[in-house]
Amino acid sequence: MTRTRTRVSPPDQACVAAVDLARAAAEELARPGEPGEHLGYEGEGDRIVTHYFACLDRAYRGWRWAVTVTRASRAKNVTVSEAVLLPGSGALLAPEWLPWSERLRPGDLGVGDLLPTSEDDDRLEPGFVKTDDETDHQTIFEYGLGRARVLSAIGKDRAARRWHSGEHGPHTPIAHAAPAQCSTCGFYWPLAGGLRQVFGVCANEYAPDDGKVVAADHGCGAHSEAAVMPPSVEQAMPILDDMGFDLMEEEAGSVDGSATEELGHS
């Protein structure tokens, strides 16, 4: 068995010598003087050669101009086929493009912005899907609201994972320092539906999580039973006996007012 050898033809000499033609094509796309030194050439096929020039534009450091020249069979004139700016080693490149649905982050939605939901969003399912045995009366009521789509099992699972691992879950410093869990707090308002056993809403206006969804095993210092204040003791009013009075005898003074003795002052 013998290997098939591929014959590689040498670069066309006429195309190799067309350096000035390639530079002129690069300068037409850029500004004069921006295409720098000739970096070499590469044979692309029969009578096809690509010349490379350094890019001196400070905004495109590491890039290079690539100009492909060619000539027809049995023709002497070389013509430009293509001229582009290509990144080289160490070139600054833009990040890989992502659709908006993958670039969006929580908090990006502003006032007046619209966030469309795709038809195949796996977080949602049609509202007329048959309910399972775990669905309670509240969920059945929600299905009767006429909504086109409701949360699917995937959507519920993602929300539960996100909430439980977030700053309102059990793995936070404030939850570790709390005297007890939210599930035992009087201000804990459980959610309705399938997430009732795991999540609720804080209704304590002085708590840092007021009005937010918290995990049942979350906690903070504003727990309703953290420190029960002793009942305040009202001071009794003083009792005054104003029905009677005692006569006080006047005691004699140390100076006799009837005496006529000179006291040494006027």
Side-chain angles (χ1 to χ4, degrees):
M1 181 177 180
T2 59
R3 294 183 178 179
T4 302
R5 295 183 177 180
T6 303
R7 179 178 176 272
V8 179
S9 58
D12 185 79
Q13 294 303 313
C15 293
V16 171
V19 177
D20 294 338
L21 176 65
R23 181 183 294 277
E27 290 181 347
E28 288 183 4
L29 296 178
R31 290 176 292 185
E34 284 188 355
E37 62 176 332
H38 185 241
L39 301 178
Y41 63 89
E42 182 179 358
E44 304 288 352
D46 293 340
R47 299 179 301 278
I48 302 175
V49 174
T50 298
H51 291 273
Y52 296 99
F53 301 90
C55 180
L56 302 181
D57 191 342
R58 291 180 296 177
Y60 290 89
R61 292 180 179 178
W63 291 63
R64 57 182 181 172
W65 288 101
V67 181
T68 302
V69 296
T70 185
R71 69 181 181 89
S73 178
R74 298 181 181 180
K76 296 181 180 180
N77 295 332
V78 178
T79 58
V80 176
S81 175
E82 185 181 19
V84 294
L85 185 62
L86 298 178
S89 59
L92 181 62
L93 301 176
E96 183 180 357
W97 183 85
L98 293 175
W100 66 268
S101 57
E102 298 181 21
R103 297 196 306 268
L104 195 65
R105 293 293 180 266
D108 290 347
L109 195 66
V111 178
D113 295 338
L114 298 179
L115 180 59
T117 305
S118 60
E119 293 291 338
D120 57 349
D121 194 327
D122 56 2
R123 298 173 301 171
L124 300 172
E125 62 184 9
F128 52 80
V129 172
K130 183 179 178 181
T131 60
D132 52 22
D133 296 337
E134 298 180 356
T135 306
D136 58 7
H137 295 286
Q138 177 65 27
T139 307
I140 296 176
F141 174 75
E142 291 178 357
Y143 277 102
L145 290 179
R147 293 182 295 169
R149 290 187 290 179
V150 295
L151 270 177
S152 65
I154 296 177
K156 293 178 182 179
D157 182 69
R158 290 182 181 177
R161 291 176 180 271
R162 186 172 62 252
W163 293 346
H164 197 264
S165 61
E167 60 181 8
H168 307 300
H171 309 297
T172 57
I174 191 172
H176 292 166
Q181 297 181 351
C182 290
S183 58
T184 61
C185 180
F187 298 104
Y188 179 75
W189 194 346
L191 293 181
L195 300 178
R196 177 185 180 88
Q197 302 298 326
V198 188
F199 298 101
V201 178
C202 178
N204 188 346
E205 61 180 315
Y206 300 109
D209 300 322
D210 179 41
K212 299 181 176 62
V213 175
V214 295
D217 48 357
H218 183 61
C220 71
H223 194 281
S224 61
E225 311 305 322
V228 179
M229 300 296 294
S232 59
V233 178
E234 296 183 1
Q235 295 183 357
M237 297 293 295
I239 301 176
L240 301 178
D241 184 8
D242 56 357
M243 299 298 295
F245 57 90
D246 297 331
L247 294 176
M248 304 294 294
E249 295 182 0
E250 183 179 359
E251 297 181 356
S254 60
V255 178
D256 187 3
S258 60
T260 59
E261 183 180 357
E262 293 289 339
L263 298 179
H265 58 81
S266 58

